[in-house]
Amino acid sequence: MSIEVKDLSFFYNKGTSLEKKALDKVSFSIVKGEFVLITGEVGSGKSTLIRHLNGLLKPHSGSVKVSGINSTNRELRSKIGLLMQYPQRQLFGKTVFEDVAFGPSNFGLKDDELKERVNESLLLAGLCRDIADISPFSLSGGQMRLVALAGVLSMRPEYLILDEPTSGLDPENKASLFSTLKKLQTTGISVIIVSHQIDDFLPFANKVLFLKNGCVDFIGSPEEYLQSVSSPIPELTSLMKELQNCGFEVASDIYSVEDAFNEITRVLGSKEVYKDE
Ligand SMILES: Nc1ncnc2c1ncn2[C@@H]1O[C@H](COP(=O)(O)OP(=O)(O)O)[C@@H](O)[C@H]1O
Ligand SMILES: [Mg+2]
């Protein structure tokens, strides 16, 4: 099971005077269970690329295949969950329950099984099951995003695509999202995160794709990404590089608080070990 993108090119307003090439011969693959960070500046083609992964857009040339099937095939819809950049727009139900239950009930889940699936999805998204009976539109913007995430998770997709998932989230909801991602890392699901905020997501990724003007500028592991000269690096990596410049013998391929803490205390000769929470 994998996603194979081969020589994908796409134009907006093709054939008109406003024609704009948004993707230029993009190729890469994602195998099941990988956490991929797709990053790049605003306008580099990230959202256009992921709309091809779940078949919302069709390539003008090249191909996008999921397990060998063209991504526009409707059969794949339930396998690929997409949380859009403005997921509040994905909500429509009178209650949170109705929203989260929509996908699985269309696939025939009923009664207790459906209730269980909704509860499971709300909990996985970091929400309390008590909110199931209230209107999603009475919630804060951040919570609405998490409800939309629960709706996507309720389909138990094999691939989960999140477009700029932290934009507009307050620290509490951001923490909920990170804890959801940590849980998902243990389930074998593939997660594709689109974000220009590399600091937030590099610690989760095992593959990074950097887009520039619609082309793949870099693809590789987070460690290789940090060594690549032209791409932006996380603040923690810059800090470690600054410490190196000041004569401290620390490693610089570091991007999580935990690793930075351990590396600094190692160099300072302390035996303390950073503990999460
Ligand atoms: N609906 C659209 N019509 C015309 N041009 C678009 C449309 N959506 C995006 N673009 C253009 O395509 C390029 C890639 O956009 P997008 O995929 O949204 O980038 P990103 O998600 O990296 O910010 C940009 O130059 C953008 O202006
Ligand atoms: Mg975008």
Side-chain angles (χ1 to χ4, degrees):
M1 288 293 276
S2 63
I3 295 184
E4 297 283 343
V5 177
K6 218 168 162 210
D7 291 329
L8 164 63
S9 295
F10 182 81
F11 303 79
Y12 284 104
N13 305 310
K14 191 163 169 43
T16 74
S17 57
L18 295 173
E19 182 169 299
K20 157 94 197 150
K21 194 175 221 182
L23 294 173
D24 188 6
K25 296 206 175 93
V26 170
S27 295
F28 65 96
S29 62
I30 298 173
V31 296
K32 199 134 185 277
E34 271 187 323
F35 260 61
V36 182
L37 170 62
I38 299 180
T39 185
E41 284 174 13
V42 173
S44 56
K46 304 181 298 296
S47 295
T48 308
L49 173 58
I50 55 165
R51 282 187 211 125
H52 281 86
L53 301 185
N54 83 334
L56 283 176
L57 291 176
K58 221 173 151 186
H60 284 123
S61 64
S63 62
V64 181
K65 291 191 171 167
V66 181
S67 308
I69 303 173
N70 268 326
S71 66
T72 46
N73 190 312
R74 293 188 69 84
E75 260 179 57
L76 292 172
R77 284 286 155 87
S78 65
K79 292 198 171 147
I80 303 180
L82 170 65
L83 188 71
M84 293 195 277
Q85 196 161 350
Y86 302 101
Q88 295 87 326
R89 296 182 194 160
Q90 283 176 254
L91 301 175
F92 58 88
K94 279 205 241 19
T95 63
V96 167
F97 181 90
E98 218 175 274
D99 244 305
V100 179
F102 180 75
S105 65
N106 273 345
F107 272 80
L109 236 59
K110 283 197 193 74
D111 308 326
D112 283 353
E113 231 184 333
L114 185 60
K115 255 191 213 156
E116 217 168 278
R117 181 71 68 90
V118 170
N119 281 340
E120 164 200 296
S121 310
L122 288 173
L123 290 178
L124 187 53
L127 291 162
C128 163
R129 65 180 70 178
D130 297 349
I131 68 163
D133 299 326
I134 63 176
S135 161
F137 301 102
S138 66
L139 299 170
S140 70
Q143 282 181 316
M144 282 163 85
R145 276 170 164 265
L146 296 178
V147 170
L149 174 61
V152 175
L153 291 170
S154 71
M155 290 298 287
R156 292 188 180 159
E158 291 179 28
Y159 297 89
L160 173 68
I161 307 173
L162 309 170
D163 195 356
E164 302 285 357
T166 45
S167 67
L169 285 191
D170 63 22
E172 200 181 319
N173 287 325
K174 219 165 152 178
S176 288
L177 177 74
F178 291 156
S179 118
T180 303
L181 290 178
K182 270 190 190 159
K183 282 183 221 154
L184 291 175
Q185 274 181 322
T186 64
T187 62
I189 186 176
S190 299
V191 180
I192 300 155
I193 299 164
V194 171
S195 180
H196 60 277
Q197 286 168 326
I198 44 171
D199 296 45
D200 282 341
F201 296 108
L202 210 55
F204 289 100
N206 46 29
K207 187 182 269 180
V208 183
L209 185 86
F210 184 73
L211 283 182
K212 198 171 184 177
N213 298 326
C215 298
V216 177
D217 192 55
F218 169 87
I219 184 160
S221 68
E223 292 74 20
E224 288 163 338
Y225 175 81
L226 296 180
Q227 306 301 329
S228 70
V229 271
S230 60
S231 38
I233 56 171
E235 284 185 5
L236 270 174
T237 313
S238 308
L239 170 70
M240 301 308 275
K241 288 196 171 173
E242 283 296 317
L243 286 170
Q244 278 182 341
N245 291 340
C246 296
F248 290 97
E249 288 179 0
V250 290
S252 62
D253 59 341
I254 275 177
Y255 40 85
S256 76
V257 174
E258 181 178 352
D259 289 347
F261 183 92
N262 284 333
E263 187 62 0
I264 292 169
T265 50
R266 182 186 67 74
V267 166
L268 295 178
S270 161
K271 299 245 179 319
E272 274 178 74
V273 174
Y274 177 86
K275 290 218 170 44
D276 209 4
E277 268 130 25

